[in-house]
Structure formats: C-alpha cells, structure tokens
C-alpha cells in the first residue's frame, strides 16, 4: 500500500483554510484519499509522500507535451521578461492568433480569455448578440465550465430507461433557477431530436453547443453523418453552431475535432492544450460573428493575453503544428489500447474504447455508448473499483469512468510497459475483491445470486 500520510496530514491543515482543502471541488477525493502534488515531469507526477504516478489525467487535458516541458518553459521565461499584463495589448497576441487561424480554419478571428469557462461564456454571449436569441442547446452529458447558464445536467444515474427522459438538474447549489429557462438539451447522435426541438423553439434558441468527442463523458463520439446533419439543421433554423474544443483542441488533431469531422463551427472555444498547462483560452469564429464584439458585445478581462501564457502558447502551438507530436501521441494511444485490450480479452472482460487515442474512454461493455444514456449499460462499478487499485500501483486515472484518459508526448515506451504491467496487476486484484464482495452480499441476502 502506498503511504498518503503527508497528504492526509496536509489535508487536515488545508481544510481549515480552504473548503475541502482544495481549489477545485473535483480535486477532493475524500478526507483520506485527497493527494497533494510535489512536482510533475514528463508524463509523471509525484505526490508529497513521494509516490510516483504515470499520469493519465494530465490536469484534465492541458498537458499535451509533458509536465515541465523545457522548450515551453524557456519560452514562458521569455514571456516573464515582457512584464505580464498591462491593460494594453502586445504584438505576440497577433502572432498567436495568426497561428491559430492557420491551424483551425473556422477561427477566422480570435479573442483570448483565461479559462475554458470564460471562453464558452463569451461564445454564448456573442451568439446571443448575433442571433438576438437568448436560449441555447447543450448535449446530454456535456460539461462546459462553471458558469450558471451551462450548469445543468441530465441525471441518468437516477433514471430508469423507458420511463421518459432523465430529470434536468443543476450541477450544484447556487445555480439560479432562472438560467434553466435558457437551457435545452438533446441526446448525441439523434438529429431528429435536434430538429424537433428547433422546429418548436427556434425563435428562442440562438446556439447549439457541442463537443463532437465528449471530453467529459467517456469520449462519446458524434457520428460523421450526425455532425453533417447538425451543421445543416443549425443553418436552417438560424442557430449558431458552437464547437467546444476546450478538451479536443490541439489534442485530437492540429485543427482539433473540426479537422477530424471536416466541419466548420460558427464559433469555437479552445483552452487546455494551447499552452501545455499555462492558462490561456480562446473564443474564435466566423469573421462576421466575431466582429459583433466591435458593435456592443463586451469581451475582456484583466488577465487576458498574459505575456507568460502567450509565450508558452506560441511555443506549444509551434511544436504541435510543426512536429509529429500529435501523431506520436496518437500512436502511443493505439498501442496502449491494444495492450489493455489484450489483458482484458484474456480474462473475458467485455470492453471497448471511445473517443480518440489521445483522449480515450475505456468502457466496460462490448460496444461503446453513442449517447450519455447508454453509459449506464456499462459496468462502471467495475471501473470505479479498478481506479483506486491503479492509484495504489502508481497509475493515475480519474476515479469516475466518465472522464477519459489523456495522453501526452512524454508518455514513452517505459510508461507503456509499466502501465500495462500495473493495469494487469490491478485487474487481478479487483476481480477477486469484487467476487468476494458479491458473495458476501449474497450471503447477507442483499442481492440474489
Ligand atoms: N468546456 C469543456 C469541454 C471542458 O472540458 C471544460 C473543463 O473541463 C470547460 C469548458 C471549462 O474549462 P475551464 O475548467 O478551463 O474553465
């Protein structure tokens, strides 16, 4: 068993100063399971107890090259010499914006923000101003940040298939009920549902917000035909198509998920991988829509286009654009999937992969889900039991199976061999544990054999 004694002691201290002892609710894994990080390098991180992990969470996606990438950090140091923020602009903004437009054709014009939340918030505001319609549609299972208009979700865990639709609930307390009126949701890969909704409500809906590969929902993928239909339906009903590439951008292809599908969004948002961990986000899109900012839409922020983040982004994007980094990550992902699959097949465990090799969902069922409701048909309890065993052995994945595995350029052959070895061991620890729990439950009359 790894020791978490220092993390546990630090948690007690930190919780006296910060709610849950962390700076984001998702970093709290329980009073005795919350870990604090000492450092990261390449594809690995070390906690303050000096436990080493191969990291497949990668900060939920920003780390695309590896922690502490020397090329990017050197550029960031140059960015420090510039001076930070000035409440004025620098020349580098144009350079980075130009690179982004080259890589992502839909990004005709670009504005910088700090976080994915801010970028999506800006995209929705621009869309409301451009269309004159306040409502928006979001995919069931989608996550787009921590601002109220998108903090509603379909509660599929409490839902029984065949009994209507899952209830739409706020992600937490304090989300104003009034924002629910703007929020609509549809299921992935059901173009008729989108068409029906817009037929009925197109006068009040101005935007459809979608991740064609759902970065917060196992990597569930839109079919190519669905994306074509979506593009057409949005045009027909005067609804802007916003593709949220906060997770897929500069990860699944140089031109993001839009390149994979050969589709152009009206507006698109990027964040995580742009700066290999330095905070930068963008809202971008069609020129006539983005020019609405020149005509009454407020966009900005004290820290936007910080010189350190911009310098890091310039270097990260140069590497992603001009080297084989993304192809190498994809190749690692394919090898990883083949290896994991072999281990699972030898034990007769049904499984499939979703998403993209650089952002992959491992799903314990023969076929991957094509929408969020189908996720409940997988053996996610097995995933939930497996994740902590992997943590014990030094492989870090999110404990929730809806969060995909993220890969970076620094994941190398040593990481691959070690991951497969530890994954096999974790499976062989988890299977008998679950069997034992099951027999205890049968013996106690809690479940029928
Ligand atoms: N959009 C998507 C698709 C995301 O995955 C996230 C965060 O995970 C966000 C928006 C919000 O980004 P941030 O956490 O940088 O505010």
């Amino acid at each position: 068993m790894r020791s978490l004694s220092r993390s546990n002691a630090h948690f007690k201290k930190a919780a006296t100063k910060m709610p849950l002892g962390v700076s984001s609710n998702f970093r709290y894994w329980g009073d005795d399971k919350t870990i604090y990080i000492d450092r990261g390098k390449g594809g690995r991180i070390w906690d303050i107890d000096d436990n080493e992990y191969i990291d497949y969470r990668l900060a939920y996606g920003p780390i695309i090259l590896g922690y502490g990438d020397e090329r990017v950090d050197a550029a960031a140091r140059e960015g420090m010499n510039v001076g930070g923020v000035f409440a004025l602009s620098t020349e580098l903004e144009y350079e980075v914006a130009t690179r982004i437009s080259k890589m992502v054709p839909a990004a005709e014009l670009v504005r910088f923000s700090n976080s994915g939340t801010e970028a999506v918030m800006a995209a929705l505001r621009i869309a409301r101003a451009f269309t004159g319609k306040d409502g928006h549609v979001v995919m069931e299972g989608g996550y787009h940040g921590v601002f109220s208009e998108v903090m509603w979700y379909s509660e599929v865990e409490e839902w029984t298939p065949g009994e209507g639709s899952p209830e739409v609930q706020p992600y937490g307390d304090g989300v104003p009920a009034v924002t629910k009126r703007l929020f609509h949701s549809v299921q992935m890969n059901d173009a008729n549902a989108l068409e029906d909704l817009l037929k009925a409500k197109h006068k009040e809906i101005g935007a459809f917000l979608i991740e064609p590969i759902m970065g917060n929902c196992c990597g569930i993928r839109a079919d190519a035909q669905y994306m074509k239909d979506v593009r057409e339906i949005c045009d027909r009903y005067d609804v802007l198509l916003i593709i949220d590439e906060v997770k897929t951008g500069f990860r699944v292809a140089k031109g993001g998920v839009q390149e994979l599908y050969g589709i152009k969004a009206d507006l698109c948002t990027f964040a995580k991988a742009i700066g290999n961990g330095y905070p930068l986000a963008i809202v971008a899109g069609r020129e006539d829509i983005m020019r609405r900012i020149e005509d009454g839409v407020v966009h900005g922020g004290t820290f936007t286009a910080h010189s350190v983040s911009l310098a890091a982004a310039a270097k990260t994007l140069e590497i992603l654009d001009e080297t084989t980094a993304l192809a190498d990550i994809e190749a690692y992902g394919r090898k990883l999937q083949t290896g994991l699959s072999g281990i699972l097949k030898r034990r007769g465990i049904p499984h499939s992969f979703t998403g993209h090799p650089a952002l992959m969902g491992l799903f314990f069922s023969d076929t991957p889900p094509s929408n969020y409701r189908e996720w409940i048909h997988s053996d996610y309890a097995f995933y939930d039991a497996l994740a902590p065993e992997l943590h014990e052995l030094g492989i870090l994945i999110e404990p929730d199976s809806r969060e995909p595995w993220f890969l970076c350029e620094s994941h190398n052959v040593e990481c691959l061999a070690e991951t497969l070895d530890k994954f096999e061991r974790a499976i062989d620890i988890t299977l008998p544990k679950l069997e034992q729990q099951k027999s205890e439950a049968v013996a106690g009359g809690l479940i029928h054999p």
Side-chain angles (χ1 to χ4, degrees):
M1 284 278 283
R2 77 197 149 139
S3 163
L4 293 182
S5 60
R6 288 174 72 98
S7 275
N8 291 166
H10 188 75
F11 171 76
K12 287 202 179 92
K13 206 163 64 174
T16 65
K17 239 338 134 200
M18 300 181 289
L20 297 176
V22 291
S23 298
S24 167
N25 289 15
F26 310 107
R27 296 177 196 170
Y28 170 75
W29 288 0
D31 291 11
D32 58 352
K33 287 280 180 285
T34 298
I35 57 177
Y36 293 87
I37 296 307
D38 178 57
R39 66 195 186 281
K41 189 71 192 164
R44 296 174 190 252
I45 60 177
W46 288 262
D47 68 21
I48 59 174
D49 288 284
D50 216 23
N51 297 305
E52 180 176 327
Y53 306 90
I54 298 176
D55 189 11
Y56 290 105
R57 292 174 72 248
L58 297 177
Y60 293 141
I63 308 305
I64 187 73
L65 300 172
Y67 290 103
D69 184 275
E70 276 151 35
R71 300 159 294 180
V72 177
D73 287 351
R77 268 181 228 108
E78 292 288 310
M80 263 174 226
N81 297 336
V82 175
V85 282
F86 312 97
L88 289 168
S89 294
T90 62
E91 289 179 316
L92 194 53
E93 292 167 39
Y94 172 77
E95 188 189 306
V96 177
T98 304
R99 167 85 69 179
I100 289 167
S101 296
K102 174 185 166 261
M103 294 173 81
V104 184
E108 292 172 9
L109 295 191
V110 172
R111 269 290 179 99
F112 294 99
S113 291
N114 301 298
S115 65
T117 295
E118 282 176 61
V120 179
M121 198 158 57
L124 279 181
R125 179 173 302 145
I126 297 165
R128 285 196 291 266
F130 187 81
T131 61
K133 301 187 283 185
D134 286 350
H136 52 271
V137 186
V138 169
M139 193 58 71
E140 268 191 8
Y143 172 82
H144 299 279
V146 288
F147 68 106
S148 298
E149 289 104 307
V150 293
M151 289 199 73
W152 296 91
Y153 77 104
S154 296
E155 179 44 284
V156 299
E157 284 174 85
E158 304 290 320
W159 165 75
T160 313
E163 292 186 4
S165 294
E167 203 185 326
V168 175
Q169 296 186 351
Y171 264 107
D173 296 339
V175 176
V178 69
T179 56
K180 194 177 180 184
R181 273 196 268 137
L182 304 175
F183 183 93
H184 306 268
S185 59
V186 288
Q187 282 198 71
M188 180 70 105
N189 291 320
D190 184 351
N192 291 335
L194 180 66
E195 171 102 48
D196 290 348
L197 174 66
L198 294 185
K199 204 180 276 173
K201 300 203 170 170
H202 66 99
K203 290 202 174 115
E204 58 194 82
I205 293 174
F208 180 35
L209 181 57
I210 177 178
E211 282 183 286
I213 295 179
M214 299 183 76
N216 299 278
C217 200
C218 331
I220 292 172
R221 286 185 74 122
D223 301 335
Q225 185 57 46
Y226 178 71
M227 285 311 295
K228 279 198 190 118
D229 293 343
V230 159
R231 183 61 279 180
E232 222 178 273
I233 295 168
C234 285
D235 289 343
R236 198 164 341 123
Y237 289 99
D238 186 25
V239 166
L240 296 190
L241 175 60
I242 305 177
I243 299 193
D244 183 351
E245 298 236 31
V246 163
K247 277 193 168 163
T248 51
F250 309 115
R251 171 168 286 283
V252 300
K254 291 180 185 181
V257 76
Q258 296 175 76
E259 179 183 319
L260 290 187
Y261 283 85
I263 203 159
K264 263 173 106 174
D266 296 313
L267 290 170
C268 44
T269 51
F270 293 80
K272 313 230 180 204
I274 299 181
N276 194 45
Y278 289 90
L280 193 75
I282 66 161
V283 52
R286 230 171 67 196
E287 174 160 1
D288 59 328
I289 302 170
M290 288 295 288
R291 293 249 180 248
R292 197 65 183 72
I293 293 175
E294 297 170 350
D295 188 22
V297 175
V298 176
H299 170 266
T302 305
F303 291 111
T304 50
H306 193 287
S307 67
V308 174
S309 294
L310 265 185
K315 181 48 83 178
T316 306
L317 293 176
E318 179 193 310
I319 295 168
L320 297 179
D321 195 17
E322 296 178 15
T323 73
T324 58
L326 289 181
D328 297 344
I329 296 171
E330 188 173 334
Y332 179 95
R334 291 198 190 285
K335 284 188 202 138
L336 180 62
Q337 289 184 358
T338 306
L340 299 177
S341 215
I343 292 165
L344 294 166
K345 270 190 201 142
R346 286 197 289 282
R347 287 156 181 81
I349 300 172
H351 66 280
S352 47
F353 296 99
T354 50
H356 181 272
L359 180 163
M360 62 178 219
L362 167 59
F363 189 69
F364 288 116
S365 168
D366 281 327
T367 44
S370 68
N371 61 49
Y372 183 32
R373 293 184 196 183
E374 288 177 11
W375 168 77
I376 59 170
H377 301 309
S378 73
D379 191 355
Y380 57 84
F382 183 63
Y383 194 103
D384 292 350
L386 176 67
E389 302 302 342
L390 284 167
H391 296 177
E392 286 300 328
L393 294 171
I395 304 294
L396 213 55
I397 59 168
E398 186 69 6
D400 182 333
S401 67
R402 281 163 287 197
E403 182 72 15
W405 294 36
F406 289 95
L407 274 51
C408 70
E409 193 194 21
S410 299
H411 283 140
N412 54 17
V413 282
E414 287 83 40
C415 293
L416 182 65
E418 195 178 324
T419 303
L420 294 178
D421 172 49
K422 291 183 169 173
F423 185 82
E424 185 153 30
R425 281 157 57 193
I427 292 280
D428 289 342
I429 294 168
T430 308
L431 283 172
K433 265 195 189 169
L434 285 178
E435 272 311 309
Q436 193 183 339
Q437 279 168 16
K438 203 165 139 196
S439 9
E440 281 167 11
V442 170
L446 294 175
I447 56 167
H448 296 292

